[in-house]
Every structure is written in C-alpha cells, then in structure tokens.
Amino acid sequence: MNKSALHEVATALGAPGKGILAADESTPTITKRLAAIGVESTPATNNAYRDLLFTTPGFEQYISGVILFEETLRQSTVEGGVPYPEHLSKLGVVPGIKVDKGAKPLAGCPGDKVTEGLDGLRDRFAAYYELGARFAKWRAVISIEGEAVPSTTGLRANAHALARYAALAQEAGLVPICEPEVLMDGEHSIERSGEVTEAAITELYAALREQKVFLEGTVLKPNMVVSGYDGAGRAGVDEVAAATLACLKRCVPAAVPSIVFLSGGQTEVEATVHLDRINEMKGDDAPWNLSFSFGRALQQTALATWGGDDAKIDAAKAAFLHRARCSGLATLGDYSEAVEAEWKPGS
Ligand code: 13P
C-alpha cells in the first residue's frame, strides 16, 4: 500500500475551496432524474448529460474529484472521444467510482438495510484502478424510525461492510470514501438525528480500526445533522451547524484529512448555507477539511435548465458552474446571499 499517495488524494479531495461532484447515480436513479425532465435514460443520453457537466469550462476551480458510475467510467467526451478518467485527470480533477451494489433489507432487523457488493470487489478494484479511478465510494443507508430503527445490529453490519470495502480499496490503491448516510425522511428531532449520526460514525471508526484501515488515506462522507424533513419547528442554520460540528468532534479521529457532506434532500441553497455556516463556526478544534460531495445540490438547476435540449447546454453549464462556485466558497465560509444572487436561472 502506498500510504503517502492515499493520504495525498484524501487531502486533495477536501482541498480548501473545492469539493466533490457526485455524478454516480445508478441506472435506476439516473432513469428517474432524466424522466423528470422528459428524457429517456440510455447509455447515450446518460453520457450526453454527464458530458455537459464534465466539460463545463472552469469547473475544476471548485471541483476536486468526480464520483462516476461504472458505465460513465468507461465512457468518453462527446467531442474528441477522450475517456472521462483521462479528461478529468488532465484538468486536475480526480476520477472516482461508486462500487457498492445498493442497500437491501437486513435479515432479522425490520426497517434496517445493509449495503451489498463485497463479493468480487478485489477484482473490480483492480479493473477500476486500471481505468484510472483513484478513489471510491460506498454508501450505507440508515433510516430513523421511532426508537428501534436503526438497531445496533444494523449499524454494526453497515460499519463492517464499509470497513471491509475500505480495506480492499486501499489495497488496490484507491482512497475509500465511507458514506454512512442517515436519511432525514420523517419527523424526528435534530437531537435524534445527531444521536443516530454519532452512533453510526462511532461504529464506523471502530470497524475501520478492526479492519486495519489507514485512516489518513480515507474520506468520510456524512449527512449534516438536520431535523427530519417532515417535522414541525425544524432547526435553523446555526443549530444545524453546531449540532453537526459537535457530532463530528465526538467521533471522527483527527487523522482523517477530509470530511465531505452529502446534500441528501436539502435544496441547493440550504445545503450551501449549512456548509458555509459549518465552516464559519468550526473553530480550531475541528482538524479536518470540511467540504462537500453533493449530487443533487450541484445538479438540480443544471439538469432542469438543460431539459434535454441541446440549445440549452451552455445555460445548463452556467447553472452548474454557479453551484460549484457557491459550494466552493462555502468550504471557506465565504458564501453569501450576494454571491448567490450573481446568477439566476435563465440568465
Ligand atoms: P446527494 O448530495 O444528492 O445526497 O448525493 C450524494 C451522494 O453521492 C449520495 O450517495
């Protein structure tokens, strides 16, 4: 294992001012996203959409890495036919790959899911490295339902799978992004969200240690600690930032270089405002880069602006660049309403 190369990539992914574009929607998810704009998902339309994002002039100022779905890892730019891993690397953007096979119900634990995909992963990693991927993502899905879900069994099963994946990734020379996503669907309080997030991350680091994972060569991708989306009296921005920072300080070792938040079901602006406040409030006792690995919060407006219309590609690129810039500024605590207002849909 080349520890210094892993540490270098793990640090670069969260470099100040930059973060990750999660463009690794699985086939069912990209089908849903494209259907929402009236486009049928095929390998060609998926490629056209991803090409729009990856050929946006200047996006590399704000984007450190891109997570790809396996189909995209093997595809190429529309003009010039340059394989995406090569195209991205040339821009200084690290190509990554989603490797999990999705979450399935966990036997014996109603309401809990466990993520599959470990079988054959060593061979898949060798192929992905060969194709140019230098980091990977595995997502565990944790629901909150009353007091019983998630169960400790569910948290441990997911932590174990994440740690087995992380060890295999490092063996193959890829930085593992570990994503224990606590879903925010439901009416739960921000306190319950914090309690479950802390338990999930604590189990994760116990398992990573057990599986002898080199923490300096890993990245954590957590949810922000917010109130359940359907609850009344949801917590405000300061409360979200404080609860998220408190949670991370309790359970993420200082050896971890970068923490990159997912956006979940937050709007683009909500996710950006929260990330900005987290960075404003982080203080000297938060030793990590605190950045983003957004999917929807970088793509929503761009996708809607494109709408499958070639004439709208440039406008969609402008929408994506705006979100990337706003998110990049939020990693520095430099985002503002004035920056947000510098671009409007349709401009
Ligand atoms: P969202 O930011 O849309 O939640 O996607 C991030 C991601 O990669 C989820 O696995």
Side-chain angles (χ1 to χ4, degrees):
M1 185 195 305
N2 183 340
K3 289 187 172 179
S4 67
L6 292 171
H7 179 60
E8 205 175 299
V9 170
T11 306
L13 289 172
K18 293 187 182 184
I20 297 171
L21 164 64
D24 60 326
E25 297 82 5
S26 61
T27 304
T29 305
I30 193 69
T31 299
K32 197 165 69 182
R33 299 268 192 275
L34 293 185
I37 57 160
V39 173
E40 186 193 349
S41 168
T42 64
T45 54
N46 298 345
N47 196 17
Y49 174 57
R50 266 74 182 246
D51 185 87
L52 178 166
L53 298 172
F54 308 160
T55 61
T56 293
F59 86 104
E60 68 275 11
Q61 298 166 82
Y62 314 111
I63 300 295
S64 55
V66 177
I67 317 176
L68 304 166
F69 190 56
E70 182 168 349
E71 175 186 278
T72 321
L73 187 72
R74 298 173 189 277
Q75 289 179 324
S76 304
T77 56
V78 171
E79 273 185 39
V82 182
Y84 286 126
E86 186 184 331
H87 167 75
L88 294 169
S89 300
K90 275 191 190 145
L91 292 170
V93 176
V94 187
I97 174 79
K98 168 193 172 76
V99 302
D100 68 72
K101 297 282 188 188
K104 305 282 157 53
L106 177 63
C109 297
D112 283 319
K113 288 185 169 174
V114 67
T115 300
E116 298 190 341
L118 290 172
D119 286 354
L121 189 53
R122 174 175 276 133
D123 293 340
R124 286 168 60 211
F125 268 136
Y128 297 148
Y129 188 93
E130 205 52 42
L131 286 164
R134 290 296 176 268
F135 74 97
K137 181 189 105 171
W138 178 287
R139 173 173 177 252
V141 181
I142 297 154
S143 296
I144 299 181
E145 286 170 33
E147 289 302 311
V149 179
S151 64
T152 303
T153 309
L155 293 178
R156 289 195 178 147
N158 276 297
H160 178 79
L162 275 161
R164 289 266 289 111
Y165 137 82
L168 284 163
Q170 291 190 334
E171 182 189 81
L174 286 86
V175 167
I177 294 188
C178 295
E179 180 179 3
E181 177 175 3
V182 180
L183 297 180
M184 295 300 155
D185 304 308
E187 296 179 356
H188 53 270
S189 64
I190 189 169
E191 289 77 19
R192 178 78 177 128
S193 164
E195 181 184 283
V196 173
T197 304
E198 189 177 331
I201 296 175
T202 300
E203 291 295 347
L204 170 64
Y205 284 100
L208 289 173
R209 191 162 292 117
E210 172 82 18
Q211 298 299 326
K212 309 190 188 322
V213 172
F214 172 59
L215 292 183
E216 290 84 344
T218 63
V219 172
L220 175 67
K221 175 163 173 168
N223 49 281
M224 297 177 191
V225 176
V226 303
S227 311
Y229 294 138
D230 306 324
R234 301 187 61 225
V237 177
D238 285 342
E239 218 182 321
V240 166
T244 303
L245 285 165
C247 174
L248 296 174
K249 287 175 188 176
R250 288 186 188 135
C251 49
V252 185
V256 175
S258 305
I259 298 177
V260 295
F261 295 101
L262 60 95
S263 61
Q266 299 181 71
T267 66
E268 293 173 328
V269 171
E270 253 173 357
T272 315
V273 166
H274 283 152
L275 179 63
D276 186 62
R277 192 62 56 85
I278 287 169
N279 275 291
E280 277 176 354
M281 283 175 55
K282 76 175 187 177
D284 295 334
D285 57 346
W288 331 272
N289 299 318
L290 291 169
S291 181
F292 60 90
S293 175
F294 292 161
R296 285 161 286 179
L298 283 170
Q299 297 184 49
Q300 233 160 295
T301 304
L303 184 63
T305 303
W306 176 51
D309 181 352
D310 280 357
K312 302 277 177 56
I313 286 179
D314 286 345
K317 285 177 191 276
F320 169 54
L321 189 67
H322 178 64
R323 287 269 49 96
R325 175 167 172 256
C326 288
S327 306
L329 288 170
T331 70
L332 307 170
D334 287 341
Y335 169 74
S336 64
E337 279 180 26
V339 170
E340 185 60 55
E342 284 172 22
W343 181 88
K344 285 265 177 276
S347 65

